[in-house]
Amino acid sequence: AQKITQTQPGMFVQEKEAVTLDCTYDTSDPSYGLFWYKQPSSGEMIFLIYQGSYDQQNATEGRYSLNFQKARKSANLVISASQLGDSAMYFCAMRGAYNQGGKLIFGQGTELSVKP
Amino acid sequence: DTEVTQTPKHLVMGMTNKKSLKCEQHMGHRAMYWYKQKAKKPPELMFVYSYEKLSINESVPSRFSPECPNSSLLNLHLHALQPEDSALYLCASSQTGDGDNQPQHFGDGTRLSIL
């Protein structure tokens, strides 16, 4: 069975500082994808970044980067230069190549608060 | 603005009412999804449509009835709901239902309250 674990229910960061949100996963699929989503209080789920299990380099998208350590089964999200608008719920998710019809497995989420 | 449009944004209904949630995408995606989300919890998958056919039903009660009239539209028909069905209902789409590298793109959701 596939599983995603986010161990930080809530985090605080000072504006302009970097922050790391932890995510570990478990799967027996040889091929899988890892995703991070941001959900502000307004409700929409915003896709941030993707990392494939065979990707040699860590994914980056603007201020977001994914610290992928395959042997440790971790896929931590790093947000550089935090902004007040980064305050939101962040979900790590996984999708296996052979799982049921594209089902996303979500972690419990981390609520990030950025302080001015 | 998201590329997946959901209407209405808010819905309040009684337990005997019948209503529908609508979802539309024009990205040419062939897989569409319904999720239910409670506050401070991750989304829970309800249904998956792949190429307009229902491919996954996560044992959802029959008071929720999905419909996919065409590749761009997804409806969720609601009837005789219970107070515990109050939640944020999210629609999502992806290129296809296969593969591990396709992100799902979500709409803004419908906040549903059952009186």
Side-chain angles (χ1 to χ4, degrees), chain A residues 28-45:
Chain A
S28 56
D29 280 348
S31 179
Y32 51 89
L34 296 157
F35 305 84
W36 277 92
Y37 286 87
K38 170 185 177 182
Q39 188 175 38
S41 57
S42 51
E44 73 271 29
M45 291 279 283

Side-chain angles (χ1 to χ4, degrees), chain B residues 31-86:
Chain B
M32 297 186 76
Y33 312 78
W34 279 116
Y35 289 86
K36 173 184 177 181
Q37 187 181 25
K38 292 285 199 177
K40 307 286 189 185
K41 296 292 186 183
E44 300 172 15
L45 183 66
M46 300 174 72
F47 303 104
V48 181
Y49 272 84
S50 181
Y51 293 90
E52 294 108 70
K53 293 191 187 310
L54 183 65
S55 59
I56 294 180
N57 176 341
E58 291 284 325
S59 303
V60 178
S62 60
R63 58 186 184 268
F64 294 93
S65 175
E67 179 197 19
C68 189
N70 59 55
S71 60
S72 301
L73 291 173
L74 186 65
N75 298 322
L76 186 63
H77 302 298
L78 315 173
H79 173 55
L81 295 194
Q82 303 296 309
E84 61 266 27
D85 297 323
S86 296

